[in-house]
Amino acid sequence: MKASRIATAGALSGIAVLALSAPAFAHVTVQPEGQAAKGGYATVNFKVPNERDNASTTKLEVNLPADHPLASVMPQPVPGWDVKVTKSKLAKPLESHGEKLTEAVSKVTWTAQKGGGVQPGYFQKFPLSLGALPEDSDELVFKAIQTYSNKEVVRWIEVPQEGQDEPENPAPVLQLSAAEDDAHGASGATATGGADAGDSGDSGDKADGHDTAAAADSGDDSDTTARVLGVVGIVVGVAGVAFGVLAGRRRGTGASA
């Protein structure tokens, strides 16, 4: 009986580890290349993993925050994908470099070309050059919509709340660092990334045209670790079950003797 309890506990622990590790690599997220300082410019990557085994991700829509409109939004070409930039009129004009802007980018949509997309077991990055970042906020929330080849739609639009559990479909959140002394000087390095966004497809290849190789990025160490822990948990659970079965058989044999 004791051996059976140990086996059951081992199996449950393995399942628990796997369940806890799964969300670590399931979400659509956004990360800056370097710093995303308040008042400056930054190049950010929207990372889209494929969560399905029987369908490809064929479309990504990223909605920019309406409460903090950005004067400059430039996508970098991604081989195999078409991109569309949508602008909307602003309720309040935005001043940028001495000019008043009456409209700003409200949505960027990437659509896979025929026969393409993010295949099962892979991920894709979608770069954007953004600026100037707001000075009166610590973060920017981008609501995203992911569409699969089987017409399934996943809405990553739930805003995480401080002190609460992470929602099931959290929206990508870009954390902003403190403003530097020379916002434009600091943005010079990231602005270069923005300028590269207008280059030919070669820059897209360098940035991540085929960053779809799973776990090829150093930032994905947490994903790999989570998967490894899940596998280890399952192995421990299976070993526990096997031990319990063998122990039960030995006891049965001893009793019959």
Side-chain angles (χ1 to χ4, degrees), residues 7-57:
T8 302
L12 291 176
S13 65
I15 295 172
V17 170
L18 182 61
L20 291 173
S21 66
F25 53 87
H27 303 159
V28 172
T29 57
V30 60
Q31 291 293 334
E33 293 183 2
Q35 293 285 329
K38 299 178 181 179
Y41 288 72
T43 297
V44 303
N45 290 303
F46 289 89
K47 179 184 174 183
V48 181
N50 192 330
E51 303 173 286
R52 303 294 179 262
D53 296 329
N54 58 352
S56 301
T57 295

Coordinates of all heavy atoms in Angstrom, one line a residue, residues 7-57:
A7 N 4.0 5.7 -5.7 CA 3.9 5.7 -7.1 C 2.9 6.8 -7.6 O 3.1 7.5 -8.5 CB 3.5 4.3 -7.6
T8 N 1.7 6.8 -6.9 CA 0.7 7.8 -7.2 C 1.2 9.2 -7.0 O 0.9 10.1 -7.9 CB -0.6 7.6 -6.3 OG1 -1.0 6.2 -6.5 CG2 -1.7 8.6 -6.7
A9 N 1.9 9.5 -5.9 CA 2.4 10.8 -5.7 C 3.4 11.2 -6.8 O 3.4 12.3 -7.2 CB 3.1 10.8 -4.3
G10 N 4.3 10.2 -7.2 CA 5.2 10.6 -8.2 C 4.6 10.9 -9.5 O 5.0 11.8 -10.2
A11 N 3.5 10.1 -9.9 CA 2.8 10.4 -11.1 C 2.1 11.8 -11.1 O 2.2 12.5 -12.1 CB 1.8 9.3 -11.4
L12 N 1.5 12.1 -10.0 CA 0.8 13.4 -9.9 C 1.8 14.5 -9.9 O 1.5 15.6 -10.5 CB 0.0 13.5 -8.5 CG -1.2 12.5 -8.5 CD1 -1.8 12.6 -7.1 CD2 -2.2 12.9 -9.5
S13 N 3.0 14.4 -9.3 CA 4.0 15.4 -9.3 C 4.5 15.7 -10.8 O 4.7 16.8 -11.2 CB 5.2 15.1 -8.4 OG 5.9 13.9 -8.9
G14 N 4.6 14.6 -11.5 CA 5.1 14.7 -12.9 C 4.1 15.5 -13.7 O 4.4 16.4 -14.5
I15 N 2.8 15.2 -13.6 CA 1.7 15.8 -14.3 C 1.7 17.3 -13.9 O 1.5 18.2 -14.7 CB 0.4 15.2 -14.0 CG1 0.4 13.7 -14.6 CG2 -0.8 16.0 -14.6 CD1 -0.8 12.9 -14.2
A16 N 1.8 17.6 -12.6 CA 1.8 19.0 -12.1 C 2.9 19.8 -12.7 O 2.7 20.9 -13.1 CB 1.9 19.0 -10.6
V17 N 4.1 19.3 -12.8 CA 5.2 20.0 -13.4 C 4.9 20.3 -14.8 O 5.2 21.4 -15.3 CB 6.5 19.2 -13.2 CG1 7.6 19.8 -14.0 CG2 6.9 19.1 -11.8
L18 N 4.4 19.3 -15.5 CA 4.1 19.6 -17.0 C 3.1 20.6 -17.1 O 3.2 21.5 -18.0 CB 3.7 18.2 -17.6 CG 3.4 18.3 -19.1 CD1 4.7 18.7 -19.9 CD2 2.9 17.0 -19.6
A19 N 2.0 20.6 -16.3 CA 0.9 21.5 -16.4 C 1.4 22.9 -16.1 O 1.0 23.9 -16.8 CB -0.2 21.2 -15.5
L20 N 2.3 23.1 -15.1 CA 2.8 24.4 -14.8 C 3.8 24.9 -15.8 O 3.9 26.1 -16.0 CB 3.5 24.3 -13.4 CG 2.6 24.1 -12.2 CD1 3.4 23.9 -11.0 CD2 1.6 25.3 -12.0
S21 N 4.5 24.1 -16.5 CA 5.5 24.5 -17.5 C 4.9 24.9 -18.8 O 5.4 25.7 -19.6 CB 6.6 23.4 -17.7 OG 6.0 22.3 -18.3
A22 N 3.7 24.3 -19.2 CA 3.1 24.6 -20.5 C 2.9 26.0 -20.8 O 3.2 26.5 -21.9 CB 1.8 23.7 -20.6
P23 N 2.3 26.8 -19.9 CA 2.0 28.2 -20.2 C 3.2 29.1 -20.5 O 3.1 30.1 -21.1 CB 1.3 28.7 -18.9 CG 0.7 27.5 -18.3 CD 1.8 26.4 -18.6
A24 N 4.4 28.6 -20.1 CA 5.6 29.4 -20.2 C 6.0 29.6 -21.7 O 6.6 30.6 -22.0 CB 6.8 28.7 -19.5
F25 N 5.5 28.8 -22.6 CA 5.9 29.0 -24.0 C 4.7 29.1 -24.9 O 4.8 28.9 -26.1 CB 6.8 27.9 -24.5 CG 6.3 26.5 -24.2 CD1 5.4 25.9 -25.2 CD2 6.6 25.8 -23.1 CE1 5.0 24.6 -24.9 CE2 6.1 24.5 -22.9 CZ 5.3 23.9 -23.8
A26 N 3.5 29.3 -24.3 CA 2.3 29.3 -25.1 C 1.8 30.7 -25.5 O 1.0 30.8 -26.4 CB 1.1 28.6 -24.3
H27 N 2.2 31.8 -24.8 CA 1.6 33.1 -25.1 C 2.3 33.9 -26.2 O 3.5 33.7 -26.4 CB 1.7 33.9 -23.8 CG 1.1 33.3 -22.6 ND1 1.3 33.6 -21.3 CD2 0.1 32.3 -22.5 CE1 0.6 32.9 -20.5 NE2 -0.1 32.1 -21.2
V28 N 1.6 34.8 -26.8 CA 2.1 35.8 -27.7 C 2.7 36.9 -26.8 O 2.1 37.4 -25.9 CB 1.1 36.4 -28.6 CG1 1.7 37.6 -29.4 CG2 0.6 35.3 -29.6
T29 N 4.0 37.2 -27.0 CA 4.7 38.1 -26.1 C 5.4 39.2 -26.9 O 5.5 39.1 -28.1 CB 5.7 37.4 -25.2 OG1 6.7 36.7 -26.0 CG2 5.1 36.4 -24.3
V30 N 5.8 40.3 -26.2 CA 6.6 41.3 -26.9 C 7.8 41.6 -26.0 O 7.7 41.8 -24.8 CB 5.7 42.6 -27.1 CG1 5.2 43.1 -25.8 CG2 6.5 43.7 -27.8
Q31 N 9.0 41.8 -26.7 CA 10.2 42.1 -26.0 C 11.0 43.1 -26.8 O 11.0 43.0 -28.0 CB 11.1 40.8 -25.8 CG 10.5 39.8 -24.7 CD 10.4 40.4 -23.3 OE1 11.3 41.3 -23.0 NE2 9.5 39.9 -22.5
P32 N 11.7 44.0 -26.2 CA 12.5 45.0 -26.9 C 13.9 44.4 -27.2 O 14.4 43.5 -26.6 CB 12.6 46.2 -25.9 CG 12.6 45.5 -24.6 CD 11.7 44.3 -24.7
E33 N 14.5 44.9 -28.3 CA 15.9 44.6 -28.6 C 16.7 45.6 -27.8 O 16.9 46.8 -28.3 CB 16.1 44.7 -30.1 CG 15.4 43.6 -30.9 CD 15.7 43.7 -32.4 OE1 16.6 44.6 -32.7 OE2 15.2 42.9 -33.1
G34 N 17.2 45.2 -26.7 CA 17.9 46.2 -25.8 C 16.9 46.9 -24.9 O 16.1 46.2 -24.2
Q35 N 17.0 48.2 -24.8 CA 16.2 49.0 -23.9 C 15.0 49.6 -24.6 O 15.0 49.8 -25.8 CB 17.0 50.1 -23.3 CG 18.1 49.7 -22.4 CD 17.6 49.2 -21.0 OE1 16.6 49.7 -20.5 NE2 18.3 48.3 -20.4
A36 N 13.9 49.7 -23.9 CA 12.7 50.5 -24.4 C 12.5 51.6 -23.4 O 11.7 51.5 -22.4 CB 11.5 49.5 -24.4
A37 N 13.3 52.7 -23.5 CA 13.3 53.8 -22.5 C 12.1 54.7 -22.8 O 11.8 55.0 -24.0 CB 14.6 54.5 -22.6
K38 N 11.6 55.3 -21.8 CA 10.5 56.3 -21.9 C 11.0 57.5 -22.7 O 12.2 58.0 -22.5 CB 10.1 56.8 -20.5 CG 9.5 55.7 -19.7 CD 9.1 56.2 -18.3 CE 8.5 55.1 -17.4 NZ 8.2 55.6 -16.1
G39 N 10.2 57.9 -23.6 CA 10.6 59.1 -24.4 C 11.5 58.8 -25.6 O 11.8 59.7 -26.4
G40 N 12.0 57.5 -25.7 CA 12.9 57.2 -26.8 C 12.3 56.3 -27.8 O 11.0 56.2 -27.9
Y41 N 13.1 55.7 -28.7 CA 12.6 54.8 -29.7 C 13.2 53.4 -29.4 O 14.2 53.2 -28.8 CB 13.1 55.3 -31.1 CG 12.4 56.5 -31.6 CD1 12.7 57.7 -31.0 CD2 11.5 56.4 -32.6 CE1 12.0 58.9 -31.5 CE2 10.8 57.6 -33.1 CZ 11.1 58.8 -32.5 OH 10.4 59.9 -33.0
A42 N 12.4 52.4 -29.9 CA 12.9 51.0 -29.7 C 12.4 50.1 -30.8 O 11.4 50.4 -31.4 CB 12.4 50.5 -28.3
T43 N 13.1 49.0 -31.0 CA 12.7 48.0 -31.9 C 12.2 46.8 -31.0 O 13.0 46.4 -30.1 CB 13.8 47.5 -32.8 OG1 14.2 48.6 -33.7 CG2 13.4 46.4 -33.7
V44 N 11.0 46.4 -31.2 CA 10.5 45.3 -30.4 C 10.1 44.1 -31.3 O 9.8 44.3 -32.5 CB 9.2 45.8 -29.6 CG1 9.6 47.0 -28.7 CG2 8.1 46.2 -30.5
N45 N 10.1 43.0 -30.7 CA 9.7 41.7 -31.4 C 8.5 41.1 -30.8 O 8.4 40.9 -29.5 CB 10.8 40.7 -31.4 CG 12.0 41.2 -32.2 OD1 11.9 41.4 -33.4 ND2 13.2 41.3 -31.6
F46 N 7.5 40.9 -31.6 CA 6.3 40.1 -31.1 C 6.6 38.6 -31.4 O 6.7 38.3 -32.6 CB 5.0 40.6 -31.8 CG 4.6 41.9 -31.3 CD1 5.0 43.1 -32.0 CD2 3.7 42.0 -30.3 CE1 4.6 44.3 -31.5 CE2 3.3 43.3 -29.8 CZ 3.8 44.4 -30.4
K47 N 6.7 37.8 -30.4 CA 7.0 36.4 -30.6 C 5.7 35.6 -30.6 O 5.0 35.6 -29.6 CB 8.0 36.0 -29.4 CG 8.3 34.5 -29.5 CD 9.2 34.1 -28.3 CE 9.4 32.6 -28.3 NZ 10.2 32.2 -27.1
V48 N 5.5 34.8 -31.6 CA 4.3 34.1 -31.8 C 4.6 32.6 -31.9 O 5.1 32.1 -32.9 CB 3.5 34.5 -33.0 CG1 2.2 33.7 -33.2 CG2 3.2 36.0 -33.0
P49 N 4.4 31.8 -30.8 CA 4.6 30.4 -30.9 C 3.3 29.7 -31.5 O 2.2 30.2 -31.3 CB 4.8 30.0 -29.5 CG 4.0 31.0 -28.7 CD 4.1 32.3 -29.5
N50 N 3.5 28.6 -32.1 CA 2.4 27.8 -32.6 C 2.0 26.8 -31.5 O 2.7 25.9 -31.2 CB 2.7 27.1 -33.9 CG 1.5 26.5 -34.6 OD1 0.5 26.2 -33.9 ND2 1.5 26.4 -35.9
E51 N 0.7 26.9 -31.0 CA 0.3 26.1 -29.9 C -0.4 24.8 -30.4 O -0.8 24.0 -29.6 CB -0.7 26.8 -29.0 CG -0.1 28.1 -28.5 CD -1.2 28.9 -27.7 OE1 -2.0 29.5 -28.4 OE2 -1.1 28.9 -26.5
R52 N -0.7 24.7 -31.7 CA -1.5 23.6 -32.2 C -0.6 22.6 -32.9 O 0.4 22.9 -33.5 CB -2.6 24.1 -33.2 CG -3.5 25.2 -32.6 CD -4.3 24.6 -31.4 NE -5.2 25.6 -30.8 CZ -4.9 26.2 -29.7 NH1 -3.8 26.0 -29.1 NH2 -5.8 27.1 -29.2
D53 N -1.0 21.3 -32.9 CA -0.3 20.2 -33.5 C -0.8 20.0 -34.9 O -0.2 19.3 -35.7 CB -0.4 18.9 -32.7 CG 0.2 19.0 -31.4 OD1 1.2 19.8 -31.3 OD2 -0.2 18.4 -30.4
N54 N -2.0 20.5 -35.2 CA -2.7 20.2 -36.5 C -3.0 21.4 -37.4 O -3.8 21.3 -38.3 CB -4.0 19.4 -36.3 CG -4.9 20.1 -35.4 OD1 -4.6 21.2 -34.8 ND2 -6.1 19.6 -35.3
A55 N -2.4 22.5 -37.0 CA -2.7 23.8 -37.8 C -1.5 24.7 -37.7 O -0.7 24.7 -36.8 CB -4.0 24.4 -37.3
S56 N -1.4 25.6 -38.7 CA -0.3 26.6 -38.7 C -0.9 28.0 -38.4 O -2.1 28.3 -38.6 CB 0.3 26.7 -40.1 OG 0.9 25.4 -40.4
T57 N -0.1 28.8 -37.8 CA -0.5 30.2 -37.6 C -0.3 31.0 -38.9 O 0.8 31.0 -39.4 CB 0.3 30.9 -36.5 OG1 0.1 30.2 -35.2 CG2 0.0 32.4 -36.3

